Amino acid sequence: MAATSAESQSSLSLTGLRDTIAGAVGGVVCTYVGHPFDTVKVRMQTTGATRPLATGIEILKNEGIRGIFAGVTPSVAAQVTENAILFMAYGYCQKAVMWATNTPRNEDLSLLSLAGCGSLASAFAALGLTPTELVKCRLQVNRIAAQQEGMVHVTYKGPLDCAMQILRAEGIQGLYRGLSSTLLRELPGNFAMFGGYECVKWLLCPEGTNPDDMSVARLVVSGALGGASFWIVAYPLDVIKSRVQVSEQKVEIGGLVKQILKTEGPRAFYRGFTPCVLRAFPANGSLFATVEVTKKLIDSVTAK
């Protein structure tokens, strides 16, 4: 009995390590594929710009390729941290639900259960995501912040300098500015993303075949539509998060929502939506496909 229990714990640990590595690799690929779209999105959310293509061209014209990839280092750190934790926690949440419901295989879990597992996993991921997202957002608006009333007017030399300046000025809690708004975005967003991903996988899976044996192309489509589902549900909450994290002062979420509605109208909550959804297709498609392929590769190596 003791030996069986030890083997079970060892297997669970190895599965968690596999999911962590796969999530980290997927995060790197996802970042470089989607970062230019993310820079345009953040600029539109925080500066009042309304045309995605014009915003992207303006960034390239005034700041060059470095401008469009501003904040990519903390973005890589954010995506690696978030997705390593997210996919590890997603796997463990599935195991917990299987144990609680006496379900023998994760393939037998309902779409609702899988969506709930994704939402719960995102709560853990948000703890690693918030500081890196904060640095990324500050760097993405760094060059134009001085022109915008109410934004942090500080010049950062890079991600490390940005993090150190925040620590000196605001302490460790400063790095977690926007945690509540990040959770507000991540919980419903990941419910939609994982639910959408698993649903599309199920729809695209030929009858009588295992979803785990799907082609990379179908995994990309499933991930792309899952990512689009995230932003359709969570985009207004992402606007709030971005405003909180680049604000010069601490912001109360309820007051910020009222201010945006009063001064800019409801459309402000979907400013930057187009580049964001466009980003979701290649970025999330590559994320989920990379995670699944990496997991299979690790399984094939460890099985030998």
Side-chain angles (χ1 to χ4, degrees):
M1 179 70 77
T4 303
S5 177
E7 288 175 6
S8 177
Q9 289 181 4
S10 176
S11 175
L12 200 61
S13 299
L14 288 173
T15 300
L17 180 60
R18 179 204 66 180
D19 293 344
T20 302
I21 294 170
V25 174
V28 173
V29 175
C30 171
T31 302
Y32 282 101
V33 169
H35 192 79
F37 295 96
D38 190 63
T39 298
V40 173
K41 178 206 74 171
V42 171
R43 288 289 180 91
M44 292 181 72
Q45 287 177 336
T46 56
T47 66
T50 58
R51 294 183 298 169
L53 184 58
T55 302
I57 291 172
E58 183 181 359
I59 295 170
L60 282 170
K61 182 180 178 181
N62 296 333
E63 304 170 41
I65 195 70
R66 291 183 66 182
I68 208 74
F69 277 95
V72 72
T73 301
S75 188
V76 168
Q79 288 294 326
V80 167
T81 303
E82 178 191 17
N83 287 297
I85 298 172
L86 180 65
F87 283 95
M88 176 190 67
Y90 182 54
Y92 281 135
C93 286
Q94 289 182 64
K95 298 292 185 187
V97 172
M98 288 166 59
W99 174 80
T101 59
N102 198 28
T103 304
R105 304 181 308 160
N106 63 350
E107 292 90 345
D108 298 326
L109 291 173
S110 68
L111 289 175
L112 185 63
S113 295
L114 292 168
C117 288
S119 180
L120 181 58
S122 71
F124 297 99
L127 296 174
L129 174 65
T130 301
T132 48
E133 274 271 301
L134 173 68
V135 172
K136 182 206 72 169
C137 285
R138 292 280 180 92
L139 288 172
Q140 284 175 321
V141 299
N142 187 33
R143 295 197 180 194
I144 49 86
Q147 305 165 21
Q148 302 291 323
E149 185 178 352
M151 277 195 193
V152 178
H153 299 171
V154 180
T155 300
Y156 303 116
K157 297 175 182 177
L160 184 59
D161 179 60
C162 178
M164 293 305 297
Q165 288 199 47
I166 293 170
L167 276 171
R168 283 194 292 267
E170 305 174 50
I172 190 67
Q173 68 270 25
L175 286 174
Y176 279 90
R177 177 185 289 194
L179 175 60
S180 56
S181 54
T182 299
L183 284 168
L184 196 63
R185 179 192 75 175
E186 293 293 301
L187 293 173
N190 278 286
F191 184 93
M193 183 173 78
F194 280 95
Y197 171 68
E198 298 290 354
C199 180
V200 177
K201 267 182 70 177
W202 178 76
L203 290 172
L204 293 180
C205 184
E207 188 174 352
T209 61
N210 190 334
D212 291 337
D213 296 327
M214 286 179 67
S215 68
V216 172
R218 291 183 179 184
L219 289 172
V220 169
V221 172
S222 301
L225 293 175
S229 300
F230 179 103
W231 291 113
I232 289 169
V233 169
Y235 193 80
L237 304 170
D238 186 64
V239 173
I240 294 168
K241 181 198 74 68
S242 293
R243 295 285 183 97
V244 168
Q245 291 189 315
V246 302
S247 175
E248 196 170 22
Q249 299 176 340
K250 290 185 179 179
V251 177
E252 196 269 320
I253 293 175
L256 176 62
V257 171
K258 291 177 183 177
Q259 180 189 353
I260 294 173
L261 286 172
K262 182 179 178 180
T263 59
E264 303 173 56
R267 291 183 66 181
F269 287 107
Y270 279 92
R271 186 179 294 146
F273 180 71
T274 301
C276 188
V277 170
L278 289 176
R279 170 191 177 276
F281 284 95
N284 289 92
S286 63
L287 168 65
F288 277 97
T290 301
V291 167
E292 296 292 353
V293 169
T294 304
K295 284 164 65 174
K296 287 180 183 178
L297 181 61
I298 292 173
D299 285 342
S300 67
V301 170
T302 55
K304 293 179 180 179

